[in-house]
Amino acid sequence: MQIRTQTGAVMYEAEFRAYTKANGGPSWDITTTEVLEALGAEVVFEGAQATGGTVYQYSQASGVEQIDGK
């Protein structure tokens, strides 16, 4: 799972936990949307993946897009 912080930085959950701990933030057991809201962060949902084509076709993240508030 990827998480976007208030600053716009996008990182994986383990990185976010380390970042929060390093900046004097709280620790938590299970990451939920309520926990992320309290920390001022949100989940980044995956977009459409490559389908069909040749064996060399792949998907690569190249940015974050907001759709319908998510």
Side-chain angles (χ1 to χ4, degrees):
M1 163 178 30
Q2 289 185 320
I3 299 169
R4 180 176 36 243
T5 65
Q6 290 176 335
T7 62
V10 176
M11 55 188 78
Y12 288 101
E13 183 178 359
E15 294 172 296
F16 180 68
R17 286 177 180 265
Y19 170 81
T20 303
K21 184 177 179 181
N23 289 298
S27 61
W28 61 94
D29 295 327
I30 300 172
T31 303
T32 63
T33 54
E34 290 82 14
V35 170
L36 292 176
E37 282 181 16
L39 296 171
E42 60 188 357
V43 175
V44 175
F45 296 97
E46 289 190 29
Q49 302 296 311
T51 57
T54 66
V55 295
Y56 301 105
Q57 189 173 8
Y58 64 94
S59 295
Q60 180 177 347
S62 65
V64 177
E65 180 181 2
Q66 184 172 351
I67 300 174
D68 295 330
K70 295 183 178 182

